[in-house]
Amino acid sequence: MTTRPQKFLNVISSLGSLATDANARDGWPGTFHIQLSNQKLYIALHVSSISPHSRAAYELRFQNPAGENRIVSNEGGAALPILLGIDDTQATPIFVATEGSTRVGRPTRFSILFHQRIIDEARRNGWATYTSSTGEKVCAFVPMLLPSFIEQIIQNEEVSSIDIAEAAVASGVMDMQTDINYQEWAGFRATRAINVLARKAGAGKRIRRAYGEQCAMCGLGAGIIQGAHIFPVEAPGSNDEIWNGLSLCYNHHKAFDLHLIGVIPDTNEIILHPSLRAEAQQNQGTANFVNSTWRWLGIPVDVRHRPSAQMFTARYDYFSDLYSWMS
Ligand SMILES: [Zn+2]
């Protein structure tokens, strides 16, 4: 049977150089620094095994150490507490984890319950989540997505499981290469992707709210709108301020992303690409879209939230030739 410090060290070694300054102690918790997309973070990692739970066949759990009165610790507020169970029944281990802040200082026995399916999903897709009946969120993932898991906690935004699974594949985390340098690089790429997705999700929510949950180009509401960055999130120096955003319906968002629609800085006049106007002559659907588009942006009542002319200018400079049609 693997001892708890050894389990901690297994977690650390699976992270390669993304984990530094590891101190196993007795594994409850062990501490280390983890490399995130743009910072290192101090982690108090509480490791445990995963075991069946008798209540239902599909239910699994991990628990704090029995009979030792061992509290969950955040190292006096210096570390982020993570509770982590390890499924090592197959060649690729799967981590099951939850954020431990709500349990800090509590020595009482607890079980973190989750459905067996998230282990299988994580093995197939890299990532899966489970929300318990008490609202506790439990995530299952391949080891190199541990930094991505922590990145989401720090950003305080939930990224959809589908988006994370896509990021896992795109980053190379699912290639299952044995080369640790390759794995480290893939893990870091995944963390950066999750950082961008979490920022988009958080900014999107704030932007939509500022615009009264309506499209700034046509007024559509109905819960089918998104927050869009003006100076794009992937560009160096971009920010998540509401004045660098627009609330847009899916069609206007896509048209904006494809540079088929632009806004004149200062006047907020909406300009359509000539190809859209041409297609509208032939296609009634496109004509409806063109006709539904306002002449000027609908902007937030709060002046601090209104879209910045500078951000539009920065966007047009960043994509340069893609906006030559506007001049
Ligand atoms: Zn719209």
PDB file of all heavy atoms in Angstrom, residues 163-201:
ATOM      1  N   ASP A 163     -15.123  22.868 -23.289  1.00  0.00           N
ATOM      2  CA  ASP A 163     -14.021  23.774 -23.626  1.00  0.00           C
ATOM      3  C   ASP A 163     -12.701  23.276 -23.038  1.00  0.00           C
ATOM      4  O   ASP A 163     -11.650  23.385 -23.668  1.00  0.00           O
ATOM      5  CB  ASP A 163     -14.312  25.197 -23.122  1.00  0.00           C
ATOM      6  CG  ASP A 163     -15.343  25.913 -23.984  1.00  0.00           C
ATOM      7  OD1 ASP A 163     -15.604  25.435 -25.094  1.00  0.00           O
ATOM      8  OD2 ASP A 163     -15.886  26.928 -23.535  1.00  0.00           O
ATOM      9  N   ILE A 164     -12.754  22.752 -21.809  1.00  0.00           N
ATOM     10  CA  ILE A 164     -11.521  22.266 -21.184  1.00  0.00           C
ATOM     11  C   ILE A 164     -11.021  21.022 -21.917  1.00  0.00           C
ATOM     12  O   ILE A 164      -9.824  20.880 -22.171  1.00  0.00           O
ATOM     13  CB  ILE A 164     -11.734  21.967 -19.696  1.00  0.00           C
ATOM     14  CG1 ILE A 164     -12.132  23.251 -18.966  1.00  0.00           C
ATOM     15  CG2 ILE A 164     -10.456  21.394 -19.088  1.00  0.00           C
ATOM     16  CD1 ILE A 164     -12.517  23.038 -17.526  1.00  0.00           C
ATOM     17  N   ALA A 165     -11.952  20.131 -22.286  1.00  0.00           N
ATOM     18  CA  ALA A 165     -11.557  18.923 -23.014  1.00  0.00           C
ATOM     19  C   ALA A 165     -10.907  19.300 -24.345  1.00  0.00           C
ATOM     20  O   ALA A 165      -9.892  18.710 -24.744  1.00  0.00           O
ATOM     21  CB  ALA A 165     -12.775  18.026 -23.233  1.00  0.00           C
ATOM     22  N   GLU A 166     -11.466  20.309 -25.014  1.00  0.00           N
ATOM     23  CA  GLU A 166     -10.866  20.779 -26.279  1.00  0.00           C
ATOM     24  C   GLU A 166      -9.470  21.342 -26.041  1.00  0.00           C
ATOM     25  O   GLU A 166      -8.536  21.053 -26.795  1.00  0.00           O
ATOM     26  CB  GLU A 166     -11.736  21.878 -26.907  1.00  0.00           C
ATOM     27  CG  GLU A 166     -12.828  21.343 -27.798  1.00  0.00           C
ATOM     28  CD  GLU A 166     -13.582  22.467 -28.507  1.00  0.00           C
ATOM     29  OE1 GLU A 166     -13.016  23.555 -28.695  1.00  0.00           O
ATOM     30  OE2 GLU A 166     -14.747  22.233 -28.854  1.00  0.00           O
ATOM     31  N   ALA A 167      -9.342  22.138 -24.975  1.00  0.00           N
ATOM     32  CA  ALA A 167      -8.033  22.731 -24.655  1.00  0.00           C
ATOM     33  C   ALA A 167      -7.026  21.636 -24.312  1.00  0.00           C
ATOM     34  O   ALA A 167      -5.846  21.740 -24.652  1.00  0.00           O
ATOM     35  CB  ALA A 167      -8.172  23.725 -23.498  1.00  0.00           C
ATOM     36  N   ALA A 168      -7.503  20.579 -23.658  1.00  0.00           N
ATOM     37  CA  ALA A 168      -6.614  19.474 -23.275  1.00  0.00           C
ATOM     38  C   ALA A 168      -6.043  18.808 -24.517  1.00  0.00           C
ATOM     39  O   ALA A 168      -4.842  18.541 -24.605  1.00  0.00           O
ATOM     40  CB  ALA A 168      -7.371  18.462 -22.418  1.00  0.00           C
ATOM     41  N   VAL A 169      -6.894  18.564 -25.493  1.00  0.00           N
ATOM     42  CA  VAL A 169      -6.442  17.921 -26.738  1.00  0.00           C
ATOM     43  C   VAL A 169      -5.505  18.866 -27.501  1.00  0.00           C
ATOM     44  O   VAL A 169      -4.412  18.482 -27.916  1.00  0.00           O
ATOM     45  CB  VAL A 169      -7.646  17.523 -27.618  1.00  0.00           C
ATOM     46  CG1 VAL A 169      -7.172  17.065 -28.995  1.00  0.00           C
ATOM     47  CG2 VAL A 169      -8.444  16.420 -26.940  1.00  0.00           C
ATOM     48  N   ALA A 170      -5.924  20.129 -27.636  1.00  0.00           N
ATOM     49  CA  ALA A 170      -5.137  21.092 -28.413  1.00  0.00           C
ATOM     50  C   ALA A 170      -3.757  21.324 -27.795  1.00  0.00           C
ATOM     51  O   ALA A 170      -2.778  21.541 -28.509  1.00  0.00           O
ATOM     52  CB  ALA A 170      -5.896  22.420 -28.519  1.00  0.00           C
ATOM     53  N   SER A 171      -3.669  21.245 -26.473  1.00  0.00           N
ATOM     54  CA  SER A 171      -2.395  21.530 -25.796  1.00  0.00           C
ATOM     55  C   SER A 171      -1.413  20.378 -25.904  1.00  0.00           C
ATOM     56  O   SER A 171      -0.221  20.562 -25.708  1.00  0.00           O
ATOM     57  CB  SER A 171      -2.659  21.817 -24.318  1.00  0.00           C
ATOM     58  OG  SER A 171      -3.125  20.639 -23.682  1.00  0.00           O
ATOM     59  N   GLY A 172      -1.919  19.174 -26.187  1.00  0.00           N
ATOM     60  CA  GLY A 172      -1.042  18.000 -26.237  1.00  0.00           C
ATOM     61  C   GLY A 172      -1.072  17.169 -24.969  1.00  0.00           C
ATOM     62  O   GLY A 172      -0.419  16.127 -24.886  1.00  0.00           O
ATOM     63  N   VAL A 173      -1.846  17.605 -23.964  1.00  0.00           N
ATOM     64  CA  VAL A 173      -1.919  16.868 -22.698  1.00  0.00           C
ATOM     65  C   VAL A 173      -2.413  15.434 -22.902  1.00  0.00           C
ATOM     66  O   VAL A 173      -1.997  14.519 -22.205  1.00  0.00           O
ATOM     67  CB  VAL A 173      -2.846  17.624 -21.707  1.00  0.00           C
ATOM     68  CG1 VAL A 173      -3.340  16.730 -20.601  1.00  0.00           C
ATOM     69  CG2 VAL A 173      -2.107  18.818 -21.127  1.00  0.00           C
ATOM     70  N   MET A 174      -3.295  15.248 -23.904  1.00  0.00           N
ATOM     71  CA  MET A 174      -3.866  13.919 -24.135  1.00  0.00           C
ATOM     72  C   MET A 174      -2.992  13.041 -25.034  1.00  0.00           C
ATOM     73  O   MET A 174      -3.364  11.917 -25.338  1.00  0.00           O
ATOM     74  CB  MET A 174      -5.275  14.044 -24.732  1.00  0.00           C
ATOM     75  CG  MET A 174      -6.267  14.762 -23.842  1.00  0.00           C
ATOM     76  SD  MET A 174      -6.407  13.995 -22.216  1.00  0.00           S
ATOM     77  CE  MET A 174      -7.275  12.478 -22.651  1.00  0.00           C
ATOM     78  N   ASP A 175      -1.842  13.559 -25.455  1.00  0.00           N
ATOM     79  CA  ASP A 175      -0.962  12.746 -26.301  1.00  0.00           C
ATOM     80  C   ASP A 175      -0.296  11.620 -25.512  1.00  0.00           C
ATOM     81  O   ASP A 175       0.202  10.666 -26.095  1.00  0.00           O
ATOM     82  CB  ASP A 175       0.134  13.618 -26.940  1.00  0.00           C
ATOM     83  CG  ASP A 175      -0.443  14.638 -27.898  1.00  0.00           C
ATOM     84  OD1 ASP A 175      -1.662  14.567 -28.159  1.00  0.00           O
ATOM     85  OD2 ASP A 175       0.317  15.511 -28.370  1.00  0.00           O
ATOM     86  N   MET A 176      -0.309  11.736 -24.177  1.00  0.00           N
ATOM     87  CA  MET A 176       0.235  10.700 -23.297  1.00  0.00           C
ATOM     88  C   MET A 176       1.683  10.356 -23.646  1.00  0.00           C
ATOM     89  O   MET A 176       2.088   9.202 -23.648  1.00  0.00           O
ATOM     90  CB  MET A 176      -0.636   9.426 -23.343  1.00  0.00           C
ATOM     91  CG  MET A 176      -2.054   9.643 -22.885  1.00  0.00           C
ATOM     92  SD  MET A 176      -2.116  10.292 -21.195  1.00  0.00           S
ATOM     93  CE  MET A 176      -3.798  10.849 -21.087  1.00  0.00           C
ATOM     94  N   GLN A 177       2.434  11.384 -23.973  1.00  0.00           N
ATOM     95  CA  GLN A 177       3.868  11.194 -24.232  1.00  0.00           C
ATOM     96  C   GLN A 177       4.570  10.909 -22.909  1.00  0.00           C
ATOM     97  O   GLN A 177       4.199  11.452 -21.879  1.00  0.00           O
ATOM     98  CB  GLN A 177       4.444  12.474 -24.845  1.00  0.00           C
ATOM     99  CG  GLN A 177       3.859  12.817 -26.188  1.00  0.00           C
ATOM    100  CD  GLN A 177       4.634  12.187 -27.317  1.00  0.00           C
ATOM    101  OE1 GLN A 177       5.777  11.797 -27.129  1.00  0.00           O
ATOM    102  NE2 GLN A 177       4.019  12.082 -28.478  1.00  0.00           N
ATOM    103  N   THR A 178       5.560  10.035 -22.961  1.00  0.00           N
ATOM    104  CA  THR A 178       6.286   9.744 -21.726  1.00  0.00           C
ATOM    105  C   THR A 178       7.373  10.783 -21.462  1.00  0.00           C
ATOM    106  O   THR A 178       7.854  10.905 -20.341  1.00  0.00           O
ATOM    107  CB  THR A 178       6.940   8.345 -21.793  1.00  0.00           C
ATOM    108  OG1 THR A 178       7.641   8.250 -23.033  1.00  0.00           O
ATOM    109  CG2 THR A 178       5.894   7.255 -21.701  1.00  0.00           C
ATOM    110  N   ASP A 179       7.740  11.541 -22.489  1.00  0.00           N
ATOM    111  CA  ASP A 179       8.755  12.575 -22.337  1.00  0.00           C
ATOM    112  C   ASP A 179       8.239  13.679 -21.401  1.00  0.00           C
ATOM    113  O   ASP A 179       7.273  14.372 -21.723  1.00  0.00           O
ATOM    114  CB  ASP A 179       9.080  13.148 -23.726  1.00  0.00           C
ATOM    115  CG  ASP A 179      10.082  14.286 -23.654  1.00  0.00           C
ATOM    116  OD1 ASP A 179      10.528  14.606 -22.536  1.00  0.00           O
ATOM    117  OD2 ASP A 179      10.405  14.843 -24.718  1.00  0.00           O
ATOM    118  N   ILE A 180       8.862  13.829 -20.251  1.00  0.00           N
ATOM    119  CA  ILE A 180       8.348  14.773 -19.250  1.00  0.00           C
ATOM    120  C   ILE A 180       8.434  16.213 -19.739  1.00  0.00           C
ATOM    121  O   ILE A 180       7.568  17.034 -19.422  1.00  0.00           O
ATOM    122  CB  ILE A 180       9.046  14.591 -17.876  1.00  0.00           C
ATOM    123  CG1 ILE A 180       8.364  15.438 -16.775  1.00  0.00           C
ATOM    124  CG2 ILE A 180      10.531  14.915 -17.953  1.00  0.00           C
ATOM    125  CD1 ILE A 180       6.973  15.020 -16.402  1.00  0.00           C
ATOM    126  N   ASN A 181       9.452  16.540 -20.565  1.00  0.00           N
ATOM    127  CA  ASN A 181       9.537  17.903 -21.094  1.00  0.00           C
ATOM    128  C   ASN A 181       8.338  18.218 -21.980  1.00  0.00           C
ATOM    129  O   ASN A 181       7.778  19.310 -21.936  1.00  0.00           O
ATOM    130  CB  ASN A 181      10.829  18.098 -21.893  1.00  0.00           C
ATOM    131  CG  ASN A 181      12.041  18.035 -20.996  1.00  0.00           C
ATOM    132  OD1 ASN A 181      11.993  18.504 -19.857  1.00  0.00           O
ATOM    133  ND2 ASN A 181      13.109  17.433 -21.487  1.00  0.00           N
ATOM    134  N   TYR A 182       7.964  17.239 -22.799  1.00  0.00           N
ATOM    135  CA  TYR A 182       6.783  17.399 -23.648  1.00  0.00           C
ATOM    136  C   TYR A 182       5.537  17.592 -22.771  1.00  0.00           C
ATOM    137  O   TYR A 182       4.715  18.478 -23.011  1.00  0.00           O
ATOM    138  CB  TYR A 182       6.616  16.165 -24.539  1.00  0.00           C
ATOM    139  CG  TYR A 182       5.479  16.261 -25.523  1.00  0.00           C
ATOM    140  CD1 TYR A 182       5.694  16.690 -26.827  1.00  0.00           C
ATOM    141  CD2 TYR A 182       4.178  15.930 -25.143  1.00  0.00           C
ATOM    142  CE1 TYR A 182       4.658  16.790 -27.735  1.00  0.00           C
ATOM    143  CE2 TYR A 182       3.128  16.035 -26.036  1.00  0.00           C
ATOM    144  CZ  TYR A 182       3.371  16.461 -27.332  1.00  0.00           C
ATOM    145  OH  TYR A 182       2.337  16.562 -28.211  1.00  0.00           O
ATOM    146  N   GLN A 183       5.412  16.762 -21.732  1.00  0.00           N
ATOM    147  CA  GLN A 183       4.259  16.825 -20.840  1.00  0.00           C
ATOM    148  C   GLN A 183       4.181  18.182 -20.129  1.00  0.00           C
ATOM    149  O   GLN A 183       3.116  18.764 -20.004  1.00  0.00           O
ATOM    150  CB  GLN A 183       4.344  15.704 -19.801  1.00  0.00           C
ATOM    151  CG  GLN A 183       3.856  14.366 -20.311  1.00  0.00           C
ATOM    152  CD  GLN A 183       2.344  14.358 -20.501  1.00  0.00           C
ATOM    153  OE1 GLN A 183       1.613  14.976 -19.748  1.00  0.00           O
ATOM    154  NE2 GLN A 183       1.884  13.672 -21.525  1.00  0.00           N
ATOM    155  N   GLU A 184       5.332  18.660 -19.653  1.00  0.00           N
ATOM    156  CA  GLU A 184       5.357  19.957 -18.957  1.00  0.00           C
ATOM    157  C   GLU A 184       4.861  21.069 -19.879  1.00  0.00           C
ATOM    158  O   GLU A 184       4.060  21.909 -19.502  1.00  0.00           O
ATOM    159  CB  GLU A 184       6.791  20.315 -18.544  1.00  0.00           C
ATOM    160  CG  GLU A 184       7.286  19.588 -17.335  1.00  0.00           C
ATOM    161  CD  GLU A 184       8.805  19.720 -17.200  1.00  0.00           C
ATOM    162  OE1 GLU A 184       9.422  20.511 -17.946  1.00  0.00           O
ATOM    163  OE2 GLU A 184       9.361  19.011 -16.340  1.00  0.00           O
ATOM    164  N   TRP A 185       5.381  21.050 -21.103  1.00  0.00           N
ATOM    165  CA  TRP A 185       5.021  22.085 -22.066  1.00  0.00           C
ATOM    166  C   TRP A 185       3.525  22.004 -22.383  1.00  0.00           C
ATOM    167  O   TRP A 185       2.821  23.016 -22.410  1.00  0.00           O
ATOM    168  CB  TRP A 185       5.878  21.939 -23.338  1.00  0.00           C
ATOM    169  CG  TRP A 185       5.548  22.916 -24.424  1.00  0.00           C
ATOM    170  CD1 TRP A 185       5.286  22.607 -25.725  1.00  0.00           C
ATOM    171  CD2 TRP A 185       5.443  24.344 -24.322  1.00  0.00           C
ATOM    172  NE1 TRP A 185       5.023  23.759 -26.430  1.00  0.00           N
ATOM    173  CE2 TRP A 185       5.112  24.836 -25.598  1.00  0.00           C
ATOM    174  CE3 TRP A 185       5.582  25.240 -23.264  1.00  0.00           C
ATOM    175  CZ2 TRP A 185       4.918  26.194 -25.852  1.00  0.00           C
ATOM    176  CZ3 TRP A 185       5.378  26.594 -23.524  1.00  0.00           C
ATOM    177  CH2 TRP A 185       5.064  27.052 -24.809  1.00  0.00           C
ATOM    178  N   ALA A 186       3.020  20.768 -22.559  1.00  0.00           N
ATOM    179  CA  ALA A 186       1.594  20.584 -22.838  1.00  0.00           C
ATOM    180  C   ALA A 186       0.756  21.073 -21.653  1.00  0.00           C
ATOM    181  O   ALA A 186      -0.256  21.756 -21.833  1.00  0.00           O
ATOM    182  CB  ALA A 186       1.306  19.111 -23.126  1.00  0.00           C
ATOM    183  N   GLY A 187       1.200  20.746 -20.446  1.00  0.00           N
ATOM    184  CA  GLY A 187       0.472  21.161 -19.243  1.00  0.00           C
ATOM    185  C   GLY A 187       0.426  22.677 -19.124  1.00  0.00           C
ATOM    186  O   GLY A 187      -0.601  23.251 -18.767  1.00  0.00           O
ATOM    187  N   PHE A 188       1.544  23.314 -19.447  1.00  0.00           N
ATOM    188  CA  PHE A 188       1.603  24.770 -19.365  1.00  0.00           C
ATOM    189  C   PHE A 188       0.720  25.412 -20.434  1.00  0.00           C
ATOM    190  O   PHE A 188       0.011  26.387 -20.179  1.00  0.00           O
ATOM    191  CB  PHE A 188       3.057  25.245 -19.502  1.00  0.00           C
ATOM    192  CG  PHE A 188       3.208  26.733 -19.340  1.00  0.00           C
ATOM    193  CD1 PHE A 188       2.903  27.353 -18.139  1.00  0.00           C
ATOM    194  CD2 PHE A 188       3.646  27.507 -20.395  1.00  0.00           C
ATOM    195  CE1 PHE A 188       3.028  28.728 -17.986  1.00  0.00           C
ATOM    196  CE2 PHE A 188       3.775  28.892 -20.257  1.00  0.00           C
ATOM    197  CZ  PHE A 188       3.468  29.498 -19.052  1.00  0.00           C
ATOM    198  N   ARG A 189       0.753  24.834 -21.637  1.00  0.00           N
ATOM    199  CA  ARG A 189      -0.119  25.346 -22.706  1.00  0.00           C
ATOM    200  C   ARG A 189      -1.592  25.231 -22.323  1.00  0.00           C
ATOM    201  O   ARG A 189      -2.389  26.131 -22.567  1.00  0.00           O
ATOM    202  CB  ARG A 189       0.131  24.570 -24.008  1.00  0.00           C
ATOM    203  CG  ARG A 189       1.331  25.106 -24.757  1.00  0.00           C
ATOM    204  CD  ARG A 189       1.782  24.172 -25.860  1.00  0.00           C
ATOM    205  NE  ARG A 189       0.722  23.498 -26.579  1.00  0.00           N
ATOM    206  CZ  ARG A 189       0.561  23.550 -27.891  1.00  0.00           C
ATOM    207  NH1 ARG A 189       1.365  24.280 -28.627  1.00  0.00           N
ATOM    208  NH2 ARG A 189      -0.388  22.867 -28.473  1.00  0.00           N
ATOM    209  N   ALA A 190      -1.965  24.105 -21.713  1.00  0.00           N
ATOM    210  CA  ALA A 190      -3.356  23.921 -21.276  1.00  0.00           C
ATOM    211  C   ALA A 190      -3.724  24.978 -20.243  1.00  0.00           C
ATOM    212  O   ALA A 190      -4.808  25.562 -20.298  1.00  0.00           O
ATOM    213  CB  ALA A 190      -3.547  22.515 -20.696  1.00  0.00           C
ATOM    214  N   THR A 191      -2.805  25.258 -19.303  1.00  0.00           N
ATOM    215  CA  THR A 191      -3.091  26.244 -18.257  1.00  0.00           C
ATOM    216  C   THR A 191      -3.323  27.624 -18.860  1.00  0.00           C
ATOM    217  O   THR A 191      -4.221  28.350 -18.447  1.00  0.00           O
ATOM    218  CB  THR A 191      -1.914  26.326 -17.258  1.00  0.00           C
ATOM    219  OG1 THR A 191      -1.526  24.996 -16.914  1.00  0.00           O
ATOM    220  CG2 THR A 191      -2.319  27.055 -15.999  1.00  0.00           C
ATOM    221  N   ARG A 192      -2.494  27.960 -19.836  1.00  0.00           N
ATOM    222  CA  ARG A 192      -2.680  29.262 -20.495  1.00  0.00           C
ATOM    223  C   ARG A 192      -4.014  29.328 -21.217  1.00  0.00           C
ATOM    224  O   ARG A 192      -4.705  30.347 -21.190  1.00  0.00           O
ATOM    225  CB  ARG A 192      -1.542  29.529 -21.478  1.00  0.00           C
ATOM    226  CG  ARG A 192      -0.283  30.026 -20.808  1.00  0.00           C
ATOM    227  CD  ARG A 192       0.626  30.674 -21.803  1.00  0.00           C
ATOM    228  NE  ARG A 192       0.742  29.835 -23.007  1.00  0.00           N
ATOM    229  CZ  ARG A 192       1.713  29.930 -23.895  1.00  0.00           C
ATOM    230  NH1 ARG A 192       2.648  30.825 -23.725  1.00  0.00           N
ATOM    231  NH2 ARG A 192       1.744  29.154 -24.946  1.00  0.00           N
ATOM    232  N   ALA A 193      -4.399  28.225 -21.870  1.00  0.00           N
ATOM    233  CA  ALA A 193      -5.687  28.185 -22.576  1.00  0.00           C
ATOM    234  C   ALA A 193      -6.840  28.357 -21.588  1.00  0.00           C
ATOM    235  O   ALA A 193      -7.790  29.087 -21.860  1.00  0.00           O
ATOM    236  CB  ALA A 193      -5.831  26.873 -23.348  1.00  0.00           C
ATOM    237  N   ILE A 194      -6.734  27.708 -20.432  1.00  0.00           N
ATOM    238  CA  ILE A 194      -7.793  27.800 -19.420  1.00  0.00           C
ATOM    239  C   ILE A 194      -7.846  29.221 -18.857  1.00  0.00           C
ATOM    240  O   ILE A 194      -8.920  29.765 -18.594  1.00  0.00           O
ATOM    241  CB  ILE A 194      -7.562  26.778 -18.273  1.00  0.00           C
ATOM    242  CG1 ILE A 194      -7.584  25.348 -18.816  1.00  0.00           C
ATOM    243  CG2 ILE A 194      -8.592  26.954 -17.160  1.00  0.00           C
ATOM    244  CD1 ILE A 194      -8.772  24.972 -19.655  1.00  0.00           C
ATOM    245  N   ASN A 195      -6.677  29.846 -18.695  1.00  0.00           N
ATOM    246  CA  ASN A 195      -6.633  31.236 -18.227  1.00  0.00           C
ATOM    247  C   ASN A 195      -7.425  32.139 -19.174  1.00  0.00           C
ATOM    248  O   ASN A 195      -8.234  32.961 -18.746  1.00  0.00           O
ATOM    249  CB  ASN A 195      -5.164  31.679 -18.131  1.00  0.00           C
ATOM    250  CG  ASN A 195      -5.040  33.175 -17.845  1.00  0.00           C
ATOM    251  OD1 ASN A 195      -5.083  33.986 -18.761  1.00  0.00           O
ATOM    252  ND2 ASN A 195      -4.893  33.532 -16.588  1.00  0.00           N
ATOM    253  N   VAL A 196      -7.214  31.955 -20.477  1.00  0.00           N
ATOM    254  CA  VAL A 196      -7.923  32.781 -21.467  1.00  0.00           C
ATOM    255  C   VAL A 196      -9.421  32.492 -21.419  1.00  0.00           C
ATOM    256  O   VAL A 196     -10.249  33.412 -21.404  1.00  0.00           O
ATOM    257  CB  VAL A 196      -7.353  32.531 -22.883  1.00  0.00           C
ATOM    258  CG1 VAL A 196      -8.222  33.190 -23.942  1.00  0.00           C
ATOM    259  CG2 VAL A 196      -5.922  33.058 -22.974  1.00  0.00           C
ATOM    260  N   LEU A 197      -9.786  31.200 -21.341  1.00  0.00           N
ATOM    261  CA  LEU A 197     -11.208  30.831 -21.307  1.00  0.00           C
ATOM    262  C   LEU A 197     -11.890  31.382 -20.052  1.00  0.00           C
ATOM    263  O   LEU A 197     -13.017  31.877 -20.115  1.00  0.00           O
ATOM    264  CB  LEU A 197     -11.366  29.304 -21.360  1.00  0.00           C
ATOM    265  CG  LEU A 197     -11.014  28.645 -22.698  1.00  0.00           C
ATOM    266  CD1 LEU A 197     -10.885  27.134 -22.536  1.00  0.00           C
ATOM    267  CD2 LEU A 197     -12.073  28.975 -23.745  1.00  0.00           C
ATOM    268  N   ALA A 198     -11.193  31.304 -18.918  1.00  0.00           N
ATOM    269  CA  ALA A 198     -11.777  31.796 -17.660  1.00  0.00           C
ATOM    270  C   ALA A 198     -11.929  33.315 -17.705  1.00  0.00           C
ATOM    271  O   ALA A 198     -12.935  33.858 -17.254  1.00  0.00           O
ATOM    272  CB  ALA A 198     -10.901  31.385 -16.470  1.00  0.00           C
ATOM    273  N   ARG A 199     -10.914  33.997 -18.263  1.00  0.00           N
ATOM    274  CA  ARG A 199     -11.019  35.448 -18.394  1.00  0.00           C
ATOM    275  C   ARG A 199     -12.193  35.823 -19.294  1.00  0.00           C
ATOM    276  O   ARG A 199     -12.949  36.746 -19.007  1.00  0.00           O
ATOM    277  CB  ARG A 199      -9.732  36.011 -18.995  1.00  0.00           C
ATOM    278  CG  ARG A 199      -8.632  36.263 -17.978  1.00  0.00           C
ATOM    279  CD  ARG A 199      -7.398  36.797 -18.654  1.00  0.00           C
ATOM    280  NE  ARG A 199      -7.668  38.001 -19.433  1.00  0.00           N
ATOM    281  CZ  ARG A 199      -6.842  38.495 -20.363  1.00  0.00           C
ATOM    282  NH1 ARG A 199      -5.709  37.884 -20.639  1.00  0.00           N
ATOM    283  NH2 ARG A 199      -7.152  39.578 -21.029  1.00  0.00           N
ATOM    284  N   LYS A 200     -12.336  35.093 -20.386  1.00  0.00           N
ATOM    285  CA  LYS A 200     -13.444  35.382 -21.307  1.00  0.00           C
ATOM    286  C   LYS A 200     -14.785  35.196 -20.610  1.00  0.00           C
ATOM    287  O   LYS A 200     -15.689  36.011 -20.761  1.00  0.00           O
ATOM    288  CB  LYS A 200     -13.375  34.453 -22.528  1.00  0.00           C
ATOM    289  CG  LYS A 200     -12.450  34.948 -23.617  1.00  0.00           C
ATOM    290  CD  LYS A 200     -12.580  34.077 -24.845  1.00  0.00           C
ATOM    291  CE  LYS A 200     -11.846  34.702 -26.016  1.00  0.00           C
ATOM    292  NZ  LYS A 200     -11.727  33.792 -27.163  1.00  0.00           N
ATOM    293  N   ALA A 201     -14.894  34.088 -19.845  1.00  0.00           N
ATOM    294  CA  ALA A 201     -16.166  33.797 -19.164  1.00  0.00           C
ATOM    295  C   ALA A 201     -16.492  34.896 -18.157  1.00  0.00           C
ATOM    296  O   ALA A 201     -17.625  35.383 -18.098  1.00  0.00           O
ATOM    297  CB  ALA A 201     -16.087  32.437 -18.467  1.00  0.00           C
TER     298      ALA A 201
END
